[in-house]
């Protein structure tokens, strides 16, 4: 763990760097070369259920194409200046989900996904900034990262790709396999492949205030029950019948002011929202489901893994899984907190108290 953060403890990393300043950690994961070959990433990028992009550079111009691609799309590419990127690698490759576990010092509530890019020399997505905290972990090959702290975040207009109009690097490093660069949000950066290379990006989302408020208004719309109906036995004669009267506006204002929400609403809204999978995520129920007894026997023998697409969070006696809220307590709570924290339950544990929920989730395809 200490090499991952350049010798810092997770606590020191959070205090000094997280959401504040970059950190370069050489040999963060010694011997790490990644876990994909160029052929494998290209195959992933041909799948309709995988989100992928291809970015081709011509001088200072970048062109982006969205997947799914055909194998032939890659055959016609030159030897230089392009990169292919695949989102949510943790959903598709078990090694990807395991890699994310190394970043367990940051809360799951903030985790977005693991992205991977494969680039040929000169390839990259251009100078840009992200609204994410991101750990850029170098896999096989070398990449040159240049970064800058700047307020000048103006983008080149009319481009799908959010490329900075001006970029003056303040620091530049060549990253080799196993090196890690952490960047807080809004840091301008540009990664150019020096050789054929892979970069694994672990991204942590920071939603805008507008997004939080929109989510909360959606939550309130679904959960508020307001009684009563407009009544005006006290109606006063108006000189302009078309005018909205003080009396009417005040009555409506009083209705609005009767709307109440509390910490429990915030908790439910945040838990449901942050555990909600993105719109394009689907779960496949098992084709020939085991009986509950067989499922539990297998869980005892081999343990259980949360489907990497599932999001499982908790607070107090409430558990949130894939947008749903469940009250849990006692031994069930103990077991499911372990599953939430580690994304798995080891073999040999007594899972009886949580059997009903675990089996229901297995039937949904939320567990493997
Ligand atoms: C890349 O892997 O080329 C881009 C990653 C990033 O800049 O966030
Ligand atoms: Co970036």
């Amino acid at each position: 763990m200490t090499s991952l953060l350049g010798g810092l403890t997770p606590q020191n990393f959070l205090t000094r760097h997280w959401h504040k300043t970059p950190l370069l950690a050489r040999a963060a994961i010694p011997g790490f070369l990644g876990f994909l070959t160029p052929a494998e990433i290209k195959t992933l990028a041909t799948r309709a259920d995988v989100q992928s992009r291809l970015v081709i550079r011509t001088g200072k111009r970048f062109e982006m194409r969205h997947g799914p691609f055909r194998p032939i799309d890659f055959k016609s590419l030159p030897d230089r200046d392009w990169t292919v990127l695949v989102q949510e690698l943790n959903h598709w490759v078990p090694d990807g989900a395991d890699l994310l576990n190394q970043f367990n010092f940051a809360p799951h509530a903030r985790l977005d996904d693991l992205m991977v890019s494969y680039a040929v020399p000169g390839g990259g997505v251009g100078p840009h900034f992200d609204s994410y905290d991101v750990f850029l972990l170098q896999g096989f090959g070398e990449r040159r990262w240049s970064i800058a702290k700047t307020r000048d975040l103006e983008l080149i207009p009319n481009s799908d790709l959010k490329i900075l109009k001006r970029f003056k690097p303040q620091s530049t490093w060549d990253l080799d396999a196993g090196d890690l660069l952490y960047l807080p949000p809004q840091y301008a950066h540009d990664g150019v492949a020096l050789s054929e290379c892979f970069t694994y990006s672990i991204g942590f989302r920071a939603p805008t205030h507008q997004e939080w408020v929109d989510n909360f208004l959606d939550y309130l719309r679904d959960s508020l029950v307001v009684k009563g109906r407009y009544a005006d036995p006290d109606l006063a004669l108006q000189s302009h019948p078309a005018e909205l009267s003080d009396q009417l506006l005040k009555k409506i204002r009083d209705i609005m002011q009767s709307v109440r929400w509390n910490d429990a609403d915030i908790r439910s809204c945040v838990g449901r929202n942050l555990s909600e999978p993105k719109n394009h995520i689907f779960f496949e129920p098992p084709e020939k489901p085991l009986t509950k007894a067989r499922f539990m026997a297998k869980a005892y023998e081999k343990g259980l893994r949360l489907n990497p697409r599932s999001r499982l969070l908790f607070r107090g006696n409430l558990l949130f899984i894939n947008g749903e809220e469940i009250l849990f307590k006692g031994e069930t709570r103990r077991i499911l907190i372990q599953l939430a924290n580690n994304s798995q339950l080891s073999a040999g544990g007594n899972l009886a108290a949580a059997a009903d929920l675990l089996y229901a989730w297995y039937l949904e395809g939320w567990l493997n």
Side-chain angles (χ1 to χ4, degrees), residues 83 85 115 117 124-125 128 130 134 136 143 145 189 191 199 201:
T83 178
L85 304 103
M115 182 182 83
S117 67
V125 298
H128 67 283
D130 300 308
V134 66
L136 300 156
R143 182 184 284 271
W145 282 106
H189 56 286
T199 301
S201 309

Side-chain angles (χ1 to χ4, degrees), residues 60-80:
K60 287 194 165 183
R61 286 193 31 246
F62 292 83
E63 182 208 337
M64 176 161 69
R65 297 181 197 159
H66 286 280
F69 299 99
R70 299 163 304 166
I72 193 150
D73 295 329
F74 294 109
K75 294 214 169 83
S76 52
L77 290 170
D79 293 343
R80 289 190 54 88

